[in-house]
Amino acid sequence: MFHKGFFKGILGAGVALTLATGLPAIAQETVKVGLILPMTGASASTGRQIEAAAKLFIAQNGNKVAGKTIELIVKDDQGTADMSKRLAQELVVNDKVSILGGFGLTPLALAVGPVATQAKVPAIIMAAGTSMIVDQSPFFVRTSFTLPQNTTPIAVWSAKNGIKKVVTLVSDFGPGLDAEKSFKAGFEANGGQVIEQLRAPLANPDFAAFLQKAKDLKPDAVFLFVPSGQGATLMKQVAERGLAQAGIKVIGTGDVTDDDLLNSMGDDLIGMITSHNYSTDHNSPENAAFVAAFNKANPNMRPNFMAAGGYDGMALIYKALEKTGGSTDGVKLVEAMKGLAWTSPRGPISIDPATRDIIQNVYIRKVEKKNGQLYNVEFDTIPNFKDPTHK
Ligand code: VNL
């Protein structure tokens, strides 16, 4: 009925308008979030946990926020920093993502920092825990945890609960060194003494020789940190060395008694005390709802602290977009994220406006059996605890 030229005219006008305003009207309705995660390799469980949690958040809250449609893009960096960096560049340049997130290990986060800074794209750290990462780009904001934050409470608790001499054993990279340093600081400030500091390689570690050395030094306790995914291997070797039989207690951060693996670690772990920012067993209505929904969507998985970081990372992105009225300007988004506070499945959390790092409760927990399953049962809380090493 209409002449061909009529449509052409409309289309032409549309294109002209688009060019004139510089705002491609349709494309702008979608906000792309690019998650860079180790989906394969040694840290694949971290990638799986964060992806599942981010998808759960979107399923529960819908993909629309402040008039925009959220599109999640997940890329596998295989746990290698070169790949994380290349994927960040591709996501920014080709996919035009407005926000980056994920980063399963400290070196992977660090590799993305310069890309985020140059592109002015917020980069949400959902896993990595070395304290200084947030200082490396003004576009980093963290929803995971830091090792000084998660370690200091067990250091203080140990000193106050009859443990006098400790050997530390950590993975030899950023978060391990943070854990080693914070343990010593917190423990010795409260009267304890660290008699030896041992470091195991991050890749394919064999802990046997280190554990034997620790045992020979006859400390009251051995403090352990390994990244998520390595706890089961480590604790198997702890059992083989007979530390418990020698009267040596085993303590650590919750990375070691990772909820993802805890059930497969066996009853030897019952009684082990750790400090951490999240337990699947955390007793709150928010967490009960989170765990039930996560289990429903992922029948063979238990949400661990990585899932909490991914879930809250998406919550942070949604809340920031609400605050900017849907603006995806990177500087505005980071400003909007500063000071945001809400109740997470892990308890109350907020983003410190001074550091862009997370402030959260840290819990002292004990491995216990409940309904035939092993859990980290929280029995003490250090409320709203900041990384004590941030200036
Ligand atoms: C890091 C810290 C990674 C704690 C972890 O698991 C972890 C990190 C992969 O900063 O690289 O449990």
Side-chain angles (χ1 to χ4, degrees):
M1 198 189 281
F2 295 110
H3 191 264
K4 250 173 152 183
F6 176 81
F7 288 105
K8 235 175 136 188
I10 297 281
L11 191 65
V15 170
L17 189 68
T18 299
L19 291 178
T21 58
L23 298 171
I26 308 261
Q28 210 200 20
E29 297 306 316
T30 298
V31 175
K32 293 185 186 173
V33 176
L35 295 191
I36 302 173
L37 293 168
M39 301 305 299
T40 52
S43 297
S45 64
T46 293
R48 276 201 306 274
Q49 287 275 346
I50 293 179
E51 180 184 34
K55 288 191 169 159
L56 175 63
F57 184 90
I58 296 172
Q60 289 177 322
N61 294 277
N63 67 348
K64 299 268 191 299
V65 57
K68 302 293 170 78
T69 303
I70 303 294
E71 183 187 331
L72 193 69
I73 305 175
V74 177
K75 298 280 186 189
D76 176 15
D77 64 12
Q78 300 169 18
T80 64
D82 288 349
M83 184 99 74
S84 316
K85 178 163 195 172
R86 189 165 58 70
L87 290 172
Q89 284 162 337
E90 283 175 12
L91 284 165
V92 166
V93 175
N94 302 342
D95 296 298
K96 312 233 177 310
V97 299
S98 301
I99 300 161
L100 290 166
F103 323 127
L105 291 159
T106 289
L108 313 181
L110 291 175
V112 171
V115 181
T117 303
Q118 204 193 354
K120 298 186 161 52
V121 167
I124 315 307
I125 305 163
M126 301 174 177
T130 304
S131 185
M132 61 75 166
I133 303 172
V134 285
D135 302 331
Q136 308 307 308
S137 169
F139 291 89
F140 272 139
V141 182
R142 178 155 34 206
T143 58
S144 48
F145 54 86
T146 80
L147 267 300
Q149 181 178 50
N150 275 346
T151 303
T152 305
I154 187 69
V156 175
W157 185 90
S158 305
K160 293 187 171 168
N161 284 273
I163 296 174
K164 296 193 165 60
K165 287 195 162 89
V166 165
V167 173
T168 60
L169 170 57
V170 302
S171 294
D172 191 5
F173 77 125
L177 305 189
D178 268 5
E180 178 188 274
K181 211 171 148 190
S182 312
F183 187 87
K184 185 176 165 76
F187 190 54
E188 296 196 341
N190 288 280
Q193 190 195 353
V194 172
I195 58 172
E196 180 69 282
Q197 298 176 307
L198 303 171
R199 299 175 182 174
L202 173 62
N204 308 311
D206 180 357
F207 302 106
F210 298 105
L211 292 167
Q212 186 60 48
K213 182 154 190 211
K215 188 182 172 188
D216 292 344
L217 290 164
K218 301 192 182 354
D220 299 315
V222 175
F223 166 84
L224 301 171
F225 165 80
V226 288
S228 187
Q230 291 192 3
T233 311
L234 172 62
M235 292 312 295
K236 189 164 172 278
Q237 297 188 13
V238 166
E240 285 165 4
R241 288 295 112 189
L243 263 62
Q245 290 80 348
I248 301 169
K249 291 193 173 70
V250 180
I251 53 176
T253 62
D255 308 78
V256 178
T257 58
D258 189 343
D259 284 303
D260 197 40
L261 300 169
L262 183 61
N263 244 331
S264 70
M265 293 192 208
D267 291 357
D268 279 352
L269 267 86
I270 292 173
M272 178 166 168
I273 294 177
T274 57
S275 54
H276 216 46
N277 61 314
Y278 177 72
S279 168
T280 311
D281 189 59
H282 178 67
N283 186 7
S284 73
E286 291 81 7
N287 191 49
F290 171 65
V291 173
F294 190 97
N295 284 154
K296 195 165 175 219
N298 310 276
N300 299 314
M301 275 169 82
R302 235 190 207 192
N304 71 355
F305 59 107
M306 295 301 184
Y311 193 76
D312 291 330
M314 288 309 299
L316 176 71
I317 291 167
Y318 273 48
K319 286 173 194 300
L321 281 165
E322 273 162 17
K323 242 171 113 179
T324 65
S327 169
T328 54
D329 179 275
V331 173
K332 284 188 189 149
L333 279 173
V334 171
E335 278 312 307
M337 289 176 187
K338 291 180 184 173
L340 276 175
W342 69 99
T343 304
S344 145
R346 62 184 110 168
I349 63 174
S350 67
I351 301 299
D352 186 344
T355 59
R356 289 164 278 102
D357 219 332
I358 187 163
I359 302 174
Q360 61 191 328
N361 293 350
V362 177
Y363 306 91
I364 313 286
R365 318 96 49 85
K366 186 191 235 171
V367 177
E368 286 178 23
K369 204 163 212 175
K370 278 188 172 182
N371 310 319
Q373 308 230 354
L374 295 178
Y375 287 100
N376 292 290
V377 178
E378 297 167 348
F379 64 88
D380 203 358
T381 305
I382 296 85
N384 302 317
F385 191 55
K386 286 188 197 191
D387 178 321
T389 65
H390 283 318
K391 278 161 256 125

